[in-house]
Every structure is written in structure tokens, then in C-alpha cells.
Amino acid sequence: MVASARLQMLGLPLDCATMAQSVERIGGYLQTPDFHLVVTLGTEMVVRAQTDASFREAVRSAALVIPDGIGTVWAARLRGFDMRERVAGVELVQVLAQRLGGRLRVFLLGGAPGVAESAAQNLLRIAPGVHVAGSRDGYFQDDREVVEQIAASKANVLLAGLGFPRQELWLQKHGPACGVAVGIGVGGTFDVLSGRVRRAPRWMQKVGLEWLYRFALQPSRWQRMLALPKFAMRILTGGQDSVQAWPEGQATS
Ligand code: UDP
């Protein structure tokens, strides 16, 4: 398995993992019997974790924390760390499916009714070798019933698109009972995969402006956008302490 440096960013772990390294590490997790939480860390999530202790602990319990969020990439680079690229959750799901193919038995959990199903169909178009073990919308009350459904599906990867912090808290609490080796919080990925929400044009993604595109499409997200200047302020005023190497020997949970 490829090792990648782990940083501590405003108290949270963040792995300097490229797309290729992330896929390789997740592939490695599939060979073990244990549950591994994978967090796709966006800038808004870092801000939320500053005041939400249970969410912070969930992120700190993750086996892999991927830099999804241009702010996290910017902050790591500003403090001199070798953060090669942003790894967007929506892309990770597609690349995982293409590269790991038949090794994946995925369960898609989340989104409005029907969204996970059409996302699954489109995922199969991109990666026909993948086995879709099941799917279900994210507006449920009875956790136990959902856990039983996932366990019965024999999925090895659970994609949870329930929005943060719910998806990380849910995976941390129920992931092991679902019998999956990997649980990934994927936010609005199913909305994009199903074709309901468009991603920003490639050039905007490249220059780190995808957040602006999402804001333009859904102005109701403006309150969430306030997290971005808050994050930048904390990084800039926190000096070197705001981003540092993960303390050696310190467990993440
Ligand atoms: N969602 C859900 N159950 C809930 C709340 C939200 O399944 O109780 C879904 C929602 O339908 C959407 C996703 O969670 O598909 C969150 O998308 P958003 O774009 O807010 O996530 P982001 O990618 O910004 O984290």
C-alpha cells in the first residue's frame, strides 16, 4: 500500500493522497475484514468540525481523509506541504469503479428517492464490471432497517451521500454493522452521477472555482459559503500551527 503523509489541519487529519494513492489505499482496505471510514474533506467540513465535537471525532476516526475542497489544498500548500491535487469525491467514486471494477460490490445510500438508483445505472455505464449490491434514498428514519438491508446485500463498499455531518456520523456508528470494508461519505455525488446536478466546467474545476459555480447554481447555499472566508481567516491567523505534520504515534481517534 502506498504511504502518503498525514497532516493535521485545524485539528483534523488530512492525507496528502493523490487520486491514484486514494484508490490504491481503498483497494487495500478491501482485503481486510475491518471497517474503514473514508472522509472526503471539504472546506466547509473543517469549519463545522471546529464547533462540533462529535463530527470532529468522526473525522479523526477515519482511516483515510481525502482533500476534496480547494481550500484544504490551498492551505496545505501555503504551509509548504506537498499536496499534489484535489481529489473530488464525485470523481473518486467513478475512478474507483473503473479501476477496481469487479472487486467492488457497492451500496449507494442517499439522495432523494430515485436518485441513488439512477446514479447506480450511470455508474454501471461508466464501469460495467462493478457489482451494484443495492441502493436506497437518504430520507429514512429507521437506521436498523437500513443497516440490515446493507448487511444482507453483502456490499463491501458503502457510499453514503447523506450530506455532512450526518454521513460521517452515520458511517462511524453503523459502518461496522453493515459488514462493509469501506464506507465513504460522498455528499451530493449521486445528484451529479444521476445527471440532476451539473458539475462546473472543467476550466473552473482546474482553477479551483467549482465552489463559485455551485453557489451560482444554488444561491440558497450562500450561508454555507460563509465557511470559506472563515476557513481562510483561521488558516492565515493560525500561522504554522494551523497546518502541521500529524504528530507521530498519535492515533487519529
Ligand atoms: N441528503 C440525504 N438525506 C438527508 C439530507 C440530505 O440523502 O437527510 C442528501 C441530499 O439529497 C443530497 C446530499 O445528501 O443528495 C447532500 O448534498 P450536498 O450537495 O449538500 O453535499 P456536499 O457535496 O456539498 O457535501
Side-chain angles (χ1 to χ4, degrees):
M1 216 180 289
V2 179
S4 46
R6 174 162 273 206
L7 308 181
Q8 177 163 258
M9 181 173 289
L10 298 176
L12 296 183
L14 177 62
D15 294 298
C16 290
T18 61
M19 175 67 82
Q21 289 168 328
S22 303
V23 170
E24 192 166 350
R25 282 182 63 172
I26 293 169
Y29 300 154
L30 296 182
Q31 291 162 354
T32 74
D34 306 322
F35 173 72
H36 300 80
L37 172 62
V38 177
V39 172
T40 56
L41 194 69
T43 314
E44 295 165 56
M45 296 163 78
V46 180
V47 173
R48 169 75 186 228
Q50 304 306 301
T51 53
D52 181 338
S54 42
F55 180 49
R56 187 165 61 241
E57 285 317 306
V59 177
R60 287 172 69 93
S61 77
L64 180 64
V65 183
I66 289 169
D68 178 356
I70 195 65
T72 58
V73 173
W74 163 80
R77 288 182 182 161
L78 181 78
R79 297 288 173 230
F81 291 96
D82 183 22
M83 185 66 85
R84 298 278 165 94
E85 58 186 5
R86 173 181 171 221
V87 181
V90 62
E91 252 165 70
L92 175 70
V93 169
Q94 297 175 67
V95 178
L96 263 183
Q98 286 165 334
R99 300 216 186 137
L100 300 185
R103 292 175 60 199
L104 288 190
R105 295 188 307 277
V106 279
F107 194 105
L108 289 78
L109 176 67
V115 171
E117 285 74 12
S118 44
Q121 282 165 10
N122 287 338
L123 191 62
L124 283 173
R125 264 186 221 123
I126 302 166
V130 167
H131 178 65
V132 175
S135 57
R136 176 165 189 150
D137 73 81
Y139 293 85
F140 55 86
Q141 303 297 330
D142 187 350
D143 289 338
R144 211 181 54 186
E145 188 204 320
V146 176
V147 170
E148 281 168 10
Q149 186 186 350
I150 298 166
S153 78
K154 302 276 180 235
N156 59 0
V157 174
L158 171 58
L159 303 175
L162 304 169
F164 79 88
R166 185 178 174 209
Q167 60 199 15
E168 286 76 20
L169 296 171
W170 203 91
L171 286 170
Q172 184 194 28
K173 183 166 178 196
H174 300 293
C178 290
V180 293
V182 178
I184 314 177
V186 295
T189 289
F190 304 149
D191 295 322
V192 175
L193 266 185
S194 67
R196 290 182 182 219
V197 172
R198 285 170 69 94
R199 277 196 82 188
R202 210 78 187 138
W203 71 265
M204 283 187 104
Q205 293 177 34
K206 276 200 163 156
V207 296
L209 285 179
E210 188 158 26
W211 59 273
L212 183 61
Y213 182 84
R214 295 186 78 180
F215 174 51
L217 275 195
Q218 296 169 273
S220 55
R221 294 174 78 97
W222 71 269
Q223 267 185 315
R224 293 181 54 171
M225 296 293 146
L226 295 180
L228 306 180
K230 258 191 209 166
F231 172 82
M233 280 308 288
R234 278 185 184 259
I235 294 289
L236 293 171
T237 57
Q240 288 300 332
D241 289 352
S242 57
V243 188
Q244 45 186 293
W246 189 261
E248 242 175 79
Q250 185 182 316
T252 55
S253 56

